[in-house]
Amino acid sequence: MPPLSMLIKPVSGACDLRCRYCFYQEKHAGVMSLGTLEALTKKALSFAEGHCSFMFQGGEPTLAGLPFFEKLVEYQRQYNINRVPIRNGMQTNGQHIDGAWADFLAKNDFLIGLSLDGLRELHDKNRGKGSFDRAMQSARCFQQAGVRFNILCVVTKDTAKQGAQVYRFFRSSGFRYLQFIPCLDPIGARRGGQPWSLTPQGCLAFLKSIFDLWYHDMKNNDIVSVRYFDNLLALVMGRQPEACGMSGVCGCQFVTEADGSVYPCDFYVDDRWKLGSILEHSFEEMRFSSNCVRFIEESLAPHPGCKACRWFPLCRGGCKRDRLNDNRNYYCLAYKGFFEYTAPRLRELAIQFQA
């Protein structure tokens, strides 16, 4: 029995915001029943060994209500028969956080990802007027209650033009755990064809601008965690990355929708990849199902030219979701340019932090 990590969507795609770049708005399966939550928790804790991670996402998971998560903790205490360490987390847009939520999250040691797209004008343009201020209020609420949290920033075409300003804003706000993810185009749409689409050129400019500032901080032992850079540094040090899109092969996230249906990845929640139902199947059955095996095997085939590339040990073909029809990564030229620009300094930092 391996460690188990799950991505749970208790309200599926339901959300109180309508972010213009969201690819998940059409997914609706109601609110997860307590019976489904109990079955999920019981099966997960009987299967997991080493640790068991429950990560809640959406849509907006807080719409399930605080009593839903209080019940989760009860079930975890009841069914953790193997006494494995449990890790709880949640990704939230921060529109409903108050003192009661913050106290619960702190008391039960949830790791929170707060969606915050940098500057007010960038955030509100994509997520709705006033949503920035509410998210910032949630951040202050987390800080006061002692909630562990990081920032997740979606990088759009507009964000890419203001990388340095965004990084400096996060730093000045006291946010030192940052994750930047490229904005995804809808499945089947032409890459780069949306008004908000992040192009390879924009991606390169953004990465360069924030790397320069991050490198300066790190050289001065003013530690800021940028997840992508942290993982690159781990690779340079000969370690394995923790981010799935950087490992060179897909894993199985056991993405569980509100109705109990399960899929291998958040980006592939459709019937073609359905693994089964938590109400009808075990984790072992789903992990070794033909769909799961095929999903993982397909990720092992990057573009034929990738393995001959000098940067393949850092890139590893990138996330499957960013691969084009020929399996070349859409951001290939951006990554090549970025590694050329940063490799000597990554090696410097590796030596500094290994000393």
Side-chain angles (χ1 to χ4, degrees):
M1 296 182 290
L4 177 63
S5 296
M6 297 166 289
L7 189 58
I8 305 161
K9 296 179 176 285
V11 296
S12 294
C15 187
D16 51 331
L17 298 181
R18 281 293 176 264
C19 304
R20 64 177 188 157
Y21 50 60
C22 181
F23 65 92
Y24 212 75
Q25 292 178 8
E26 304 305 317
K27 309 293 184 183
H28 293 289
V31 179
M32 181 177 286
S33 70
L34 292 182
T36 300
L37 178 65
E38 182 176 17
L40 170 65
T41 307
K42 184 176 182 179
K43 288 186 177 182
L45 290 171
S46 66
F47 175 78
E49 188 175 85
H51 70 262
C52 189
S53 296
F54 296 74
M55 177 65 192
F56 292 85
Q57 197 168 312
E60 174 48 43
T62 59
L63 294 180
L66 184 54
F68 177 91
F69 289 92
E70 291 172 335
K71 203 67 179 175
L72 164 75
V73 174
E74 288 184 25
Y75 290 147
Q76 289 174 340
R77 291 171 181 156
Q78 179 179 352
Y79 292 116
N80 191 9
I81 57 175
N82 296 321
R83 299 292 185 266
V84 297
I86 293 173
R87 303 171 184 173
N88 286 316
M90 180 192 298
Q91 184 66 41
T92 179
N93 61 27
Q95 304 302 293
H96 300 284
I97 299 301
D98 58 16
W101 268 109
D103 289 344
F104 168 82
L105 297 170
K107 178 182 177 181
N108 293 284
D109 196 28
F110 274 65
L111 175 62
I112 303 302
L114 177 64
S115 297
L116 191 62
D117 289 352
L119 311 173
R120 177 183 280 104
E121 59 268 26
L122 292 171
H123 184 100
D124 282 359
K125 179 178 181 179
N126 291 310
R127 294 180 176 266
K129 187 175 181 180
S131 59
F132 172 85
D133 288 336
R134 288 191 291 273
M136 286 295 290
Q137 289 170 5
S138 293
R140 302 310 176 209
C141 203
F142 290 153
Q143 289 171 327
Q144 291 169 9
V147 177
R148 294 187 301 129
F149 75 102
N150 55 52
I151 299 297
L152 186 145
C153 175
V154 177
V155 182
T156 64
K157 178 179 69 175
D158 293 330
T159 316
K161 299 173 184 176
Q162 301 187 64
Q165 297 94 314
V166 168
Y167 182 90
R168 290 191 180 105
F169 166 73
F170 286 147
R171 287 282 283 104
S172 67
S173 300
F175 305 147
R176 290 180 172 267
Y177 296 90
L178 311 175
Q179 182 179 359
F180 298 97
I181 60 172
C183 184
L184 288 171
D185 292 325
I187 290 179
R190 179 175 63 86
R191 292 305 300 254
Q194 309 300 320
W196 54 83
S197 296
L198 180 65
T199 64
Q201 296 82 1
C203 179
L204 176 58
F206 179 81
L207 288 174
K208 283 184 174 181
S209 65
I210 64 170
F211 181 88
D212 288 341
L213 297 171
W214 176 79
Y215 170 79
H216 178 269
D217 287 339
M218 298 294 279
K219 285 294 289 183
N220 289 284
N221 285 310
D222 189 6
I223 307 300
V224 178
S225 172
V226 175
R227 189 184 185 194
Y228 179 57
F229 299 161
D230 291 348
N231 276 268
L232 288 178
L233 199 55
L235 285 166
V236 173
M237 291 179 174
R239 303 172 186 166
Q240 288 300 310
E242 52 78 27
C244 65
M246 300 178 69
S247 66
V249 58
C250 290
C252 183
Q253 296 179 321
F254 294 107
V255 177
T256 307
E257 288 285 311
D259 63 0
S261 56
V262 181
Y263 305 84
C265 174
D266 185 30
F267 299 149
Y268 295 89
V269 178
D270 58 57
D271 289 343
R272 180 189 176 203
W273 296 110
K274 186 175 179 180
L275 306 183
S277 168
I278 196 63
L279 299 173
E280 300 173 8
H281 303 94
S282 69
F283 280 96
E284 186 170 15
E285 288 174 320
M286 292 186 287
R287 170 60 185 86
F288 294 103
S289 67
S290 59
N291 275 355
C292 190
V293 171
R294 179 166 57 93
F295 182 81
I296 293 171
E297 286 179 347
E298 283 190 9
S299 72
L300 292 169
H303 185 272
C306 286
K307 292 188 177 179
C309 175
R310 63 180 293 201
W311 301 118
F312 184 73
L314 291 178
C315 171
R316 300 188 177 189
C319 177
K320 176 182 175 181
R321 181 65 168 77
D322 289 325
R323 294 181 189 175
L324 303 174
N325 290 336
D326 65 353
N327 272 345
R328 184 186 298 277
N329 193 287
Y330 176 65
Y331 295 110
C332 176
L333 294 179
Y335 292 143
K336 286 181 177 179
F338 177 68
F339 296 143
E340 289 279 359
Y341 185 72
T342 61
R345 286 180 286 173
L346 282 170
R347 287 192 287 269
E348 282 181 29
L349 290 175
I351 293 170
Q352 175 181 332
F353 288 103
Q354 282 179 324

